[in-house]
Amino acid sequence: MRYIHSTKGWHLTLSADDLRVIKWYVDASFAVHPDFKSHTGAVMTMGTGAVQAITQKQKLNCDSSTHAELIGVHDAMSNILWTRLFMEEQGYPIEKNILYQDNKSSNLLETNGRSSAGKRSRALNIRYFFVTDQVELGNITIEHMPTDEMWADYMTKPLQGEKFGKFQAVIQGDQD
């Protein structure tokens, strides 16, 4: 209750730098729930503030952080594609639909598909290569984002101190 009381003065500020560029920050926390399922967080922006935010427990158990990240991207993909289609129907053709992740292994799997997969990842379910198909079709671009800049950490981890304040301000669109 103290937290809610202390945040009642916060406000959300949204602005768009370019209506043709959508940026998604997607992250996963590996095996953080009591049943060892992972957690997905995603934040969408077009400039300042979070237009959409997702935080949810994953429905599947996985055996690595790379697999958890891949499941997280797959979980967010329907929102990512829907947002692109919505903006295009409003008359704003999307030039870039960028997905940022901090896990380089999952970036390679999503971008290159099976050619980047080693022996250990053979157990990955083929449906997660749906993301690879979307990259090949040009519907999304995947780029690496350092962990210290990953907005979605706010949705997946119990952040404290400076990092919590930094991401809270970015998501709320606080320019100060």
Side-chain angles (χ1 to χ4, degrees), residues 52-69:
Q52 291 186 60
I54 301 165
T55 180
Q56 66 185 27
K57 181 179 177 179
Q58 293 181 355
K59 294 179 176 94
L60 302 173
N61 279 87
C62 51
D63 61 357
S64 71
S65 60
T66 298
H67 195 180
E69 295 275 352

Side-chain angles (χ1 to χ4, degrees), residues 37-130:
K37 290 185 179 173
S38 300
H39 198 88
T40 297
V43 177
M44 177 256 185
T45 187
M46 296 181 90
T48 301
V51 178
Q52 291 186 60
I54 301 165
T55 180
Q56 66 185 27
K57 181 179 177 179
Q58 293 181 355
K59 294 179 176 94
L60 302 173
N61 279 87
C62 51
D63 61 357
S64 71
S65 60
T66 298
H67 195 180
E69 295 275 352
L70 204 56
I71 291 170
V73 170
H74 185 266
D75 287 349
M77 191 57 68
S78 60
N79 289 63
I80 293 169
L81 297 176
W82 180 89
T83 302
R84 179 188 180 112
L85 292 173
F86 177 80
M87 290 301 292
E88 288 176 342
E89 285 299 314
Q90 302 308 308
Y92 301 102
I94 300 301
E95 293 174 4
K96 289 184 178 179
N97 197 10
I98 306 168
L99 184 143
Y100 295 109
Q101 276 193 296
D102 58 1
N103 186 302
K104 289 184 179 182
S105 297
S106 62
N107 284 4
L108 286 171
L109 283 169
E110 293 155 359
T111 305
N112 302 332
R114 186 57 71 186
S115 63
S116 292
K119 292 179 182 177
R120 187 162 183 253
S121 63
R122 275 185 83 72
L124 290 178
N125 191 325
I126 197 68
R127 71 181 172 153
Y128 295 107
F129 289 100
F130 169 72

Side-chain angles (χ1 to χ4, degrees), residues 13-25:
T13 303
L14 300 175
S15 70
D17 297 336
D18 186 347
L19 291 175
R20 296 176 308 247
V21 177
I22 302 172
K23 296 177 183 176
W24 284 89
Y25 296 80

Side-chain angles (χ1 to χ4, degrees), residues 3-13 154 164-165 167-169 172 174:
Y3 175 78
I4 292 171
H5 181 62
S6 69
T7 61
K8 68 182 177 183
W10 289 1
H11 59 277
L12 176 62
T13 303
Y154 188 83
F164 174 83
F167 287 142
Q168 176 274 321
Q172 293 292 125
D174 188 0

